[in-house]
Amino acid sequence: MRVFDTHAHYDSGAFNADRMEVLASMPEQDVALILNPGCELESSRTAVALSEQFPFVYAAVGVHPSDCGDWEDSWLEELRALAAHEKVKAIGEIGLDYYWKENPPREFQQQVFRKQMELARELDLPVIIHDREAHQDCLSIVREYPDVRGVYHCYSGSLEDAKVLVKLGWMLSFTGVVTYKNARKSLEVIEWLPMDRIMIETDSPYLTPEPFRGKRNDSGKVHLVAEKIAQVKGMDAEEVARITLENGKRFFNI
Ligand code: NI
């Protein structure tokens, strides 16, 4: 079954030893497409460079809330220039992260998030949202931009918020976390979520699905996410793979 890993970080140092070999092996592992988001300027540039080297890799450019401490408004110019590349399909990953105590102050994260939402609106690109322990503030900023479409990556919010996001026309995407023992809340969301709003991802090199948890993740393991969703939905994994691939292509305009 051919799959679309809609969120993987091959710019990560975890792939320094074998990045090119791992990526080159993806077509034979039935990974049809990969989207590599950036987390700051350097990883955004690397994401674009990787998309030039592999026809099945696409990029997003953006500054992650955990990495926004040194933000200057001149970064917007850089992101705008990178986003002009034909293989850049979104602004991301952007959002809010209140989990790590050492992260930039909440108000500052919110400012940087809004500036990148404005950039996405200006460029008419979708956004990839990172929301960790910031559900309420994140949703209220999303609502300030009714003409920006997006996906919540590694969705960890409530069923109630999922219903609001679906109504707003947004997508939710799920990682290997759905295979973990404590995934009950995500599974409840998946059970309810209409199939045309689901995307799948690995968030490689992180969040490796069971039974490989603890090892480095790669896009070849996104099949396990499709299988778990199929189990929850009472569908064939093949069907989940096909629909999420189509959803991803439609969402990212590929
Ligand atoms: Ni990520």
Side-chain angles (χ1 to χ4, degrees):
M1 56 189 200
R2 294 170 73 246
V3 288
F4 185 174
D5 182 359
T6 60
H7 192 115
H9 299 279
Y10 286 101
D11 54 90
S12 160
F15 292 106
N16 280 351
D18 57 357
R19 179 173 294 109
M20 295 300 149
E21 293 89 322
V22 172
L23 278 169
S25 76
M26 287 308 154
E28 71 210 32
Q29 295 189 65
D30 266 355
V31 177
L33 294 167
I34 295 170
L35 191 124
N36 193 128
C39 290
E40 16 65 30
L41 292 180
E42 192 53 43
S43 59
S44 295
R45 287 185 205 110
T46 306
V48 174
L50 289 171
S51 77
E52 286 175 341
Q53 293 173 71
F54 295 92
F56 53 87
V57 174
Y58 288 80
V61 298
V63 176
H64 187 288
S66 297
D67 299 305
C68 76
D70 297 327
W71 172 275
E72 291 170 25
D73 284 344
S74 64
W75 292 16
L76 276 175
E77 300 310 315
E78 283 233 36
L79 292 173
R80 189 179 284 115
L82 285 167
H85 193 284
E86 59 176 3
K87 292 196 80 180
V88 173
K89 295 297 184 182
I91 298 298
E93 56 183 286
I94 62 176
L96 302 173
D97 191 319
Y98 296 168
Y99 176 77
W100 299 103
K101 296 286 163 274
E102 61 270 34
N103 272 357
R106 293 177 177 196
E107 289 237 324
F108 192 73
Q109 291 188 37
Q110 292 163 17
Q111 284 173 28
V112 172
F113 183 19
R114 285 196 176 93
K115 285 175 184 180
Q116 295 183 96
M117 288 292 279
E118 281 156 25
L119 180 67
R121 184 171 60 191
E122 171 199 321
L123 300 176
D124 196 22
L125 284 172
V127 294
I128 301 167
I129 299 290
H130 172 100
D131 162 21
R132 191 162 186 198
E133 313 262 316
H135 302 325
Q136 223 186 324
D137 288 354
C138 200
L139 188 55
S140 73
I141 292 178
V142 160
R143 296 184 101 137
E144 291 170 19
Y145 300 88
D147 38 6
V148 175
R149 304 170 297 132
V151 56
Y152 267 60
H153 119 81
C154 194
Y155 184 71
S156 61
S158 64
L159 177 58
E160 197 186 348
D161 284 357
K163 290 181 176 173
V164 172
L165 286 164
V166 162
K167 222 173 186 175
L168 293 172
W170 281 53
M171 308 286 288
L172 306 184
S173 125
F174 296 90
T175 61
V177 166
V178 298
T179 67
Y180 299 170
K181 276 205 173 69
N182 57 0
R184 194 189 49 81
K185 205 170 81 173
S186 312
L187 301 186
E188 196 182 284
V189 172
I190 290 168
E191 220 181 332
W192 170 82
L193 194 61
M195 271 315 289
D196 66 345
R197 298 311 180 84
I198 302 184
M199 300 201 295
I200 56 175
E201 53 162 310
T202 56
D203 202 19
S204 294
Y206 316 108
L207 306 180
T208 312
E210 295 288 5
F212 303 106
R213 196 174 179 179
K215 297 191 179 147
R216 184 184 72 178
N217 204 1
D218 65 73
S219 301
K221 298 182 181 67
V222 76
H223 300 82
L224 295 162
V225 180
E227 280 166 19
K228 184 68 195 188
I229 291 172
Q231 193 192 318
V232 173
K233 289 285 206 191
M235 295 170 66
D236 279 348
E238 295 264 353
E239 187 72 350
V240 171
R242 187 185 63 74
I243 294 171
T244 54
L245 173 64
E246 288 310 314
N247 289 347
K249 285 170 75 173
R250 188 179 66 244
F251 176 77
F252 290 113
N253 192 24
I254 291 172

